[in-house]
């Protein structure tokens, strides 16, 4: 039986090509994901370990602020120069790097800010020599120039300097938390810090300058301690711990710190790997339909051969084993090819993600035995499992019945049980999704229910597909018959001949298009909602804000108002407002001027009613608190500088808008509790006769052109709100595209095997007058009908699931409404048509080239 299985694989290799390709792609996806995940994790760990290779002990201090003046944003720590000297005197210590940490956002040479939206990656620290009196810091080897030694000097890491366009001797503009500063670039360095190698920037200053910028003189954030070879670093850690205060300072061994960072990195990379594996699982799930369909057709075509094996003594169990062995051999060969392809895929995933701003570090490809074995087991396992049901069908072949005639049509099995089960699953799934559509509270249980309902609905549609194929294919067949005559009618009848096979072929395509359609509808709806959230109720042309914490100095408000071409400039401040147990943002502004840059919809009252102690509430806050116009409540006001209570009167209710918070009050009521007494933003309305193209730069210049400054028009605000969502959607489209490709292989495979199965029939059609062109049309139209059937089911199911799940988004995004992207949906339907045409190219040519006489005499 083993020899029989081997012979069958080689005898039917042409018919197994598409199945092998489907397995190869699925395994490639799995292998590529596993190798990619290992590669990224190893790159992060290697960079982290290399960055900490000379650190035996890390002494870290907690940042504190002045408790007597909460408006003072100056940091201080308990780690002083005196403590650093104590650590340096401990036996076994060879070096101590006193470190000052901060962030500095750089302006490139052309004036654009670097990493303005990811300021946490804009690292800044001090260049600290290994030993006092020397000029070498082993953490940052100098690649060109020299280290900074004076207040007017700085260094950059080599990549940052190249990206920003700076050369040694240039003046570098940057900002930390206040005005723009300028220093001379005196050198560039290399670094292994994963935050920098993953796309961040690094600025270096001498220690005194760094303390002035980020801390206080004589204080540090960390001491990186080096030890002599052979030193017990755990014991050294204990010695240093006894020298230092117990509060405000943490002492950790370098090995423990590296371990903690490695664990954090592993956890961070798991999420991305899990997501990619989920899509790989979908690709393999679609591949199951292709594999099962292939073996079902092969077994049907080899019924006489199976009967002969049974007649000469093969048991049912042996027949099952032979088919499963054949499947295992196919899976083994295809999985091996998939592993090779997966390794190639892993090499391109990281550059593709980095192109969209992922910021993954460089590093060699990590190909582990575990990843290879798991990929191989998945490929072989899925193939064998998919072939199990067809193998049982093969074992049930009765020798006498199969040998009685080669032309006997296999009896058609009843679909009553399958249709009943499919209707039940679909009904339960649809009812579950209808229930989900009524839920808007955003609870986690609703998400779980939606997931269950989606799986039940999609599974039910797969099971009931043979029942649905009849009316839908007849409808499509009416069109093909009218347009193409006999060929169109034959295509319809061929598609209807075996509903199970047609449904299995269409289901593979349906799954992919269901997911892509659902994603597309959800993405379009979310983008529209984010756009409404970003600029809804906002009529201002620009919003001025600060990328770093700290806000905008109130003195700058007058400067914006004085820019030529600015018709209105409205500063906004915010504090936290507590009302009857609910908390929201209280936006403070000049009521009269605020109405000129916003378009708030009021159900009662207006901005004109605002005054000291008076607020207007959003309809959402009013609903949950039960407050309405005329009510008075004890409000709790909180902010960076303290908190207090004040009796407030509600003078109006407006429709919730992202332009302002959940409540609006006067500037005086909010500014006293605002972050450091500063504005959050300034809304700017341009004069009607002013060309706004240059106004943005004029505003920036008036405010000192700080790299921390953000001057965004409405289009930029919308892009900032939805840009990350769009990038994620595009990546998911690409990942789901793999399932569609595998489904195309399934259509090609089904048609090719169907042509082989109908060899005599095609010969007879040719004999009674159907020319080769008509044969091609017949096969192509059959492919188109099956593909359109799968596309119609997929698009319809995807729209329904996206609509039902949309209510879950309203809890966090009230503007969400289901938006159908009609052009894209039309493109998906056209995609189904194109898939049908392309999938039939090879099978149609093969059918048209059949020799008439040989085909008629085929057994």
């Amino acid at each position: 039986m083993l020899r029989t299985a081997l012979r069958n694989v080689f005898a039917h290799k042409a018919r197994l090509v598409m199945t092998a390709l489907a397995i190869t792609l699925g395994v490639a996806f799995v292998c590529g994901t596993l190798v990619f995940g290992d590669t990224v994790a190893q790159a992060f760990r290697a960079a982290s370990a290399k960055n900490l290779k000379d650190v035996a002990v890390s002494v870290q201090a907690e940042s504190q602020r002045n408790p007597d003046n909460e408006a003072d944003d100056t940091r201080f720590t308990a780690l002083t120069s005196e403590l650093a000297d104590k650590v340096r005197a401990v036996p076994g210590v060879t070096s101590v790097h006193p470190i000052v940490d901060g962030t500095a956002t750089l302006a490139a040479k052309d004036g654009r800010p670097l990493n303005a939206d990811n300021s946490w990656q804009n690292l800044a620290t001090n260049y600290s020599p290994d030993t006092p009196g020397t000029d070498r810091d082993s953490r940052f080897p100098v690649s060109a120039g020299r280290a900074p030694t004076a207040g007017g000097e700085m260094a950059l890491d080599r990549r940052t300097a190249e990206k920003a366009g700076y050369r040694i001797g240039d003046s570098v503009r940057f900002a930390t938390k206040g005005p723009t500063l300028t220093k001379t670039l005196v050198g560039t360095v290399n670094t292994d810090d994963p935050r920098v190698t993953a796309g961040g920037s690094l600025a270096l200053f001498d220690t005194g300058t760094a303390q002035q910028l980020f801390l206080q003189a004589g204080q540090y954030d960390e001491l990186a301690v080096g030890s002599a070879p052979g030193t017990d670093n755990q014991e050294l850690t204990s010695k240093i711990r006894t020298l230092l205060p117990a509060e405000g300072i943490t002492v950790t061994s370098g090995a423990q710190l590296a371990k903690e960072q490695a664990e954090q990195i592993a956890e961070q990379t798991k999420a991305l790997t899990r997501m990619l594996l989920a899509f790989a699982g979908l690709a393999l799930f679609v591949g199951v339909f292709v594999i099962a369909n292939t073996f079902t057709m092969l077994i049907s075509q080899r019924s006489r051969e199976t009967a002969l094996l049974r007649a000469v003594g093969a048991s049912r169990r042996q027949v099952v084993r032979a088919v499963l062995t054949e499947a295992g051999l196919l899976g083994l060969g295809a999985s091996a090819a998939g592993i090779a392809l997966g390794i190639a895929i892993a090499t391109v995933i990281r550059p593709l993600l980095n192109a969209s701003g992922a910021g993954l570090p460089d590093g060699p490809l990590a190909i582990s035995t575990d990843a290879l074995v798991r990929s191989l087991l998945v490929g072989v396992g899925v193939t064998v499992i998919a072939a199990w049901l067809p193998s049982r069908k093969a074992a049930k072949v009765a020798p006498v019945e199969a040998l009685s005639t080669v032309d006997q049509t296999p009896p058609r099995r009843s679909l009553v049980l399958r249709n009943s089960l499919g209707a039940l699953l679909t009904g339960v799934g649809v009812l579950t999704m209808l229930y989900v559509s009524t839920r808007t509270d955003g609870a986690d249980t609703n998400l779980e229910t939606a997931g269950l309902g989606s799986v039940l609905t999609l599974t039910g549609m797969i099971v009931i597909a043979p029942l649905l194929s009849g009316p839908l294919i007849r409808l499509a067949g009416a069109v093909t018959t009218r347009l193409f005559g006999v060929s169109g009618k034959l295509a319809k009848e061929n598609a209807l001949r075996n509903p199970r096979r047609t449904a299995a072929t269409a289901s593979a395509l349906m799954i992919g298009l269901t997911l892509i359609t659902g994603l597309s509808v959800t993405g379009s709806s979310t983008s529209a909602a984010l756009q409404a959230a970003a600029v809804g109720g906002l009529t201002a042309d620009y919003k001025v804000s600060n990328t770093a914490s700290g806000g905008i100095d109130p003195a700058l408000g007058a400067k914006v108002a004085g820019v030529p071409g600015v018709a209105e400039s409205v500063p906004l401040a915010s504090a936290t407002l507590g009302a009857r147990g609910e908390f929201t943002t209280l936006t403070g502004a000049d009521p009269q001027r605020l109405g000129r840059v916003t378009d708030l919809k009021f159900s009662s009252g207006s901005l004109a009613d605002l005054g000291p102690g008076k607020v207007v509430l959003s309809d959402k806050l009013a609903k949950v608190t039960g407050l309405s116009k005329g009510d008075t409540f004890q409000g709790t006001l909180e902010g960076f500088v303290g908190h207090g209570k004040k009796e407030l009167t509600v003078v109006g209710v407006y429709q919730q808008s992202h332009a302002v918070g959940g409540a609006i009050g006067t500037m005086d009521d909010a500014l006293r509790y605002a972050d450091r007494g500063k504005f959050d933003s300034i809304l700017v309305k341009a004069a009607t006769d002013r060309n706004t193209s240059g106004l943005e730069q004029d505003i920036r210049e008036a405010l000192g052109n700080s790299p921390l400054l953000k001057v965004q028009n409405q289009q930029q605000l919308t892009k900032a709100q939805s840009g990350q969502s769009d990038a994620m959607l595009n990546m998911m489209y690409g990942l789901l595209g793999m399932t569609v490709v595998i489904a195309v292989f399934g259509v090609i495979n089904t048609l090719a095997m169907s042509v082989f199965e109908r060899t005599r029939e095609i010969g007879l059609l040719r004999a009674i007058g159907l020319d080769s062109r008509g044969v091609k049309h017949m096969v192509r139209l059959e492919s188109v009908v099956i593909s359109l059937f799968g596309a119609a089911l997929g698009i319809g199911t995807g729209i329904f699931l996206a609509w039902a799940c949309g209510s879950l988004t309203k809890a966090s995004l009230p503007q969400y409404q289901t938006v159908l992207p009609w052009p894209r949906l039309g493109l998906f339907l056209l995609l189904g048509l194109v898939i049908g045409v392309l999938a039939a190219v090879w099978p149609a040519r093969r059918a048209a080239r059949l020799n008439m006489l040989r085909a008629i005499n085929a057994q």
Side-chain angles (χ1 to χ4, degrees):
M1 295 304 293
L2 177 60
R3 287 197 298 268
T4 301
L6 286 169
R7 183 192 63 79
N8 284 333
V9 170
F10 289 106
H12 304 107
K13 54 182 177 294
R15 304 182 215 177
L16 294 173
V17 167
M18 294 301 161
T19 305
L21 283 174
I23 301 167
T24 297
L25 287 179
V27 172
F29 210 159
V30 173
C31 181
T33 298
L34 292 175
V35 172
F36 165 75
D38 291 343
T39 298
V40 172
Q42 178 177 285
F44 271 118
R45 285 194 298 268
S48 179
K50 194 172 182 180
N51 194 46
L52 295 170
K53 65 178 179 177
D54 295 326
V55 178
V57 181
S58 174
V59 182
Q60 298 179 346
E62 297 177 6
S63 293
Q64 302 176 30
R65 298 188 186 276
N66 188 353
D68 299 325
N69 183 5
E70 294 182 344
D72 183 4
D73 60 358
T74 303
R75 291 191 305 122
F76 69 91
T77 72
L79 199 53
T80 63
S81 298
E82 291 76 13
L83 291 177
D85 291 337
K86 285 185 179 181
V87 172
R88 192 175 282 110
V90 174
V93 172
T94 57
S95 65
V96 174
H97 290 284
I99 299 172
V100 179
D101 286 326
T103 60
T105 302
L106 305 172
K109 197 167 184 178
D110 60 4
R112 59 183 174 84
L114 287 182
N115 299 334
D117 295 326
N118 297 312
S119 57
W120 59 273
Q121 278 190 294
N122 298 330
L123 308 182
T125 187
N126 60 317
Y127 189 91
S128 174
D130 295 344
T131 55
T134 64
D135 59 356
R136 180 180 179 276
D137 187 339
S138 57
R139 300 173 303 155
F140 306 115
V142 176
S143 60
R146 60 177 177 82
T149 57
E153 300 175 346
M154 68 182 298
L156 298 174
D157 81 276
R158 179 178 51 81
R159 295 188 186 190
T160 300
E162 292 174 355
K163 184 165 59 174
Y166 286 121
R167 295 183 178 181
I168 294 175
D170 289 342
S171 294
V172 179
R173 293 176 55 251
F174 68 96
T176 56
K177 58 186 177 182
T180 303
L181 302 173
T182 303
K183 294 188 184 298
T184 302
L185 182 65
V186 296
T188 59
V189 303
N190 294 319
T191 180
D192 295 309
D193 192 315
R195 294 170 295 178
V196 180
T197 58
S201 63
L202 174 67
L204 295 171
F205 308 93
D206 67 278
T207 298
T209 302
Q211 289 173 332
Q212 181 183 1
L213 289 173
F214 308 117
L215 204 53
Q216 293 187 13
Q219 296 182 358
Y220 306 97
D221 291 298
E222 181 183 0
L223 299 179
V225 181
S227 64
T231 303
D232 186 340
N233 291 334
Q234 292 294 340
E235 183 180 347
L236 183 62
T237 302
S238 300
K239 288 181 180 179
I240 294 174
R241 187 179 288 118
T242 59
L243 294 176
L244 304 176
E247 295 183 359
I249 296 178
T250 303
V251 182
T252 311
S253 68
Q256 180 63 27
L257 188 62
K259 181 182 177 182
E260 292 174 358
Q261 289 190 1
E263 290 175 352
Q264 292 175 356
I265 289 166
E267 194 61 35
Q268 291 169 357
T269 55
K270 274 182 182 177
L272 179 58
T273 304
R274 287 193 191 113
M275 185 190 75
L276 292 174
L277 281 176
F279 285 99
L282 287 172
L284 284 171
F285 182 62
V286 172
V288 166
F289 288 88
V290 180
I291 299 165
N293 218 15
T294 299
F295 277 93
T296 299
M297 296 180 73
L298 274 176
I299 287 164
S300 177
Q301 294 168 15
R302 294 189 337 228
S303 59
R304 192 177 186 206
E305 177 185 322
T306 305
L308 284 170
L309 289 173
R310 294 292 311 282
V312 296
S315 66
R316 288 189 174 184
R317 183 172 295 180
Q318 285 178 312
V319 171
V320 170
R321 287 176 180 173
V323 174
L324 294 183
T325 300
E326 185 179 343
L329 292 171
L330 175 66
L332 186 63
S335 297
I339 288 172
L341 180 60
I343 293 173
I345 289 174
T347 62
V348 301
I349 293 179
R350 181 168 50 189
L352 288 175
L353 291 178
N354 281 341
S356 62
L360 301 174
D362 296 331
L365 211 60
I367 305 175
S368 66
T369 303
D370 179 65
L372 301 183
V373 171
R374 287 165 65 186
S375 301
L376 190 64
L377 290 176
V378 166
V380 175
V382 166
T383 308
V384 171
I385 291 172
W388 181 70
L389 284 177
S391 71
R392 289 180 57 84
K393 179 183 176 183
K396 293 178 181 178
V397 172
V400 175
E401 292 179 5
L403 289 171
S404 61
T405 174
V406 294
D407 293 329
Q408 183 178 1
T409 303
R412 221 182 246 191
R413 290 182 295 158
S414 173
L415 288 169
V416 174
L417 179 61
R418 175 168 178 164
N419 292 341
S420 301
L421 178 61
L424 177 64
L425 288 172
T426 305
V428 173
V430 169
L431 290 176
T432 303
M433 297 310 295
L434 290 176
Y435 166 76
V436 169
S437 69
T438 64
R439 309 299 298 172
T440 58
D441 52 7
D444 291 340
T445 53
N446 293 332
L447 188 60
E448 296 172 359
T449 304
L452 176 62
S454 298
V455 171
L456 288 174
T457 303
L458 186 55
T459 304
M461 292 299 292
I462 293 171
V463 176
I464 207 174
L467 177 64
L468 298 175
S469 66
L472 291 178
I473 288 179
R474 286 190 179 90
L475 179 63
V479 177
T480 60
T481 301
R482 186 175 183 85
L483 294 177
F484 298 94
V486 174
S487 296
K489 185 174 182 180
L490 288 172
K492 178 193 72 173
E493 296 300 328
N494 287 335
L496 290 171
R497 180 181 300 184
N498 192 328
R500 294 175 186 272
R501 181 186 302 170
T502 299
T505 306
S507 293
L509 183 60
M510 180 191 74
I511 295 169
L513 285 179
T514 294
L515 297 173
I516 291 178
T517 300
L519 184 65
S520 183
V521 173
T522 302
S524 298
S525 304
T526 303
S527 294
L530 289 173
Q531 181 175 357
V535 298
L538 185 68
T539 60
D541 295 302
Y542 291 98
K543 180 179 181 180
V544 182
S545 58
N546 196 330
T547 60
S549 60
I552 299 175
D553 194 310
L556 299 179
K559 292 186 177 181
V560 175
V563 174
V566 172
E568 194 65 59
S569 170
V570 183
L572 303 181
S574 65
T576 300
L577 171 66
R580 294 187 176 179
E582 299 292 332
F583 290 89
T584 190
T585 299
L586 173 69
T587 299
D590 183 319
Q592 300 298 325
R593 297 167 62 190
L594 182 61
R596 300 169 191 166
V597 293
T598 58
D599 183 23
L600 302 177
K601 309 297 183 183
F602 280 82
S603 57
S604 62
S606 67
L607 288 174
D609 299 323
L610 282 174
K614 298 178 180 180
V615 296
V616 293
L617 307 181
S618 69
D619 51 3
K620 183 178 179 180
L621 181 62
K623 181 179 179 180
V624 296
T625 58
L627 293 169
S628 59
K629 182 180 179 181
D631 291 342
T632 300
F633 66 96
Q634 190 74 12
T636 302
L637 293 167
E638 298 178 358
F640 187 83
V641 296
H643 62 276
K645 292 186 177 181
K646 186 173 184 178
E647 187 174 274
L648 299 171
T649 301
V650 180
V651 294
V653 177
Y654 61 91
Q655 184 178 336
Q656 178 87 17
S657 172
H658 188 73
V660 291
I664 306 174
T666 62
M667 178 62 77
D668 290 339
D669 283 340
L671 189 59
R672 61 185 298 187
Y673 296 100
D675 189 358
R676 301 176 182 84
K678 295 183 179 181
F679 297 148
D680 288 331
S681 59
I682 301 174
L683 301 181
V684 177
K685 185 81 171 178
T688 54
D689 58 346
R690 168 64 193 259
N691 185 349
T692 60
S693 59
L695 186 57
E696 174 185 348
Q697 188 59 34
D698 291 344
I699 295 173
R700 296 186 65 89
E701 294 292 344
L703 298 181
N705 202 14
S706 169
L708 297 175
L709 191 66
K710 294 173 71 174
V711 182
Q712 298 168 291
N713 57 29
Q714 291 202 4
Q715 183 179 1
Q716 291 167 331
L717 286 170
T718 301
K719 185 177 180 180
Q721 191 81 355
S722 60
Q724 188 173 3
S725 172
D726 292 341
M728 181 64 70
L729 285 172
N730 289 333
M731 183 178 74
M732 294 174 75
Y733 283 138
L735 295 174
L736 287 175
M738 184 70 77
T739 64
V740 177
V741 172
I742 293 175
V744 172
F745 288 146
V747 178
I748 297 173
N749 202 44
T750 299
L751 289 173
M753 297 186 71
S754 179
V755 167
F756 179 85
E757 191 177 72
R758 301 200 303 259
T759 299
R760 293 190 68 195
E761 178 183 318
I762 293 171
L764 289 171
L765 289 172
R766 292 291 309 278
I768 62 175
L770 187 65
D771 59 11
S772 59
R773 184 178 181 184
V775 172
K776 286 183 179 180
H777 283 166
M778 177 186 70
V779 177
R780 286 171 184 163
L781 292 172
E782 180 183 354
S783 175
V784 167
V785 166
I786 293 174
S787 297
L788 287 178
F789 169 56
L793 288 185
I795 293 171
T797 305
I799 291 174
F800 171 73
L801 295 179
W803 167 79
C805 292
S807 61
L808 303 181
T809 310
K810 290 186 177 180
S812 57
L813 193 60
Q815 296 84 356
Y816 185 93
Q817 297 291 334
T818 300
V819 175
L820 296 181
W822 292 110
R824 194 169 295 176
L825 296 179
L827 183 63
F828 293 159
L829 193 61
L830 180 62
L831 177 63
L833 177 64
V834 172
I835 287 173
V837 173
L838 295 178
V841 171
W842 178 57
R845 291 184 63 187
R846 185 177 183 276
R849 290 179 177 181
L850 288 174
N851 182 279
M852 186 188 309
L853 295 178
R854 289 180 182 175
I856 293 173
N857 291 323
Q859 298 297 319

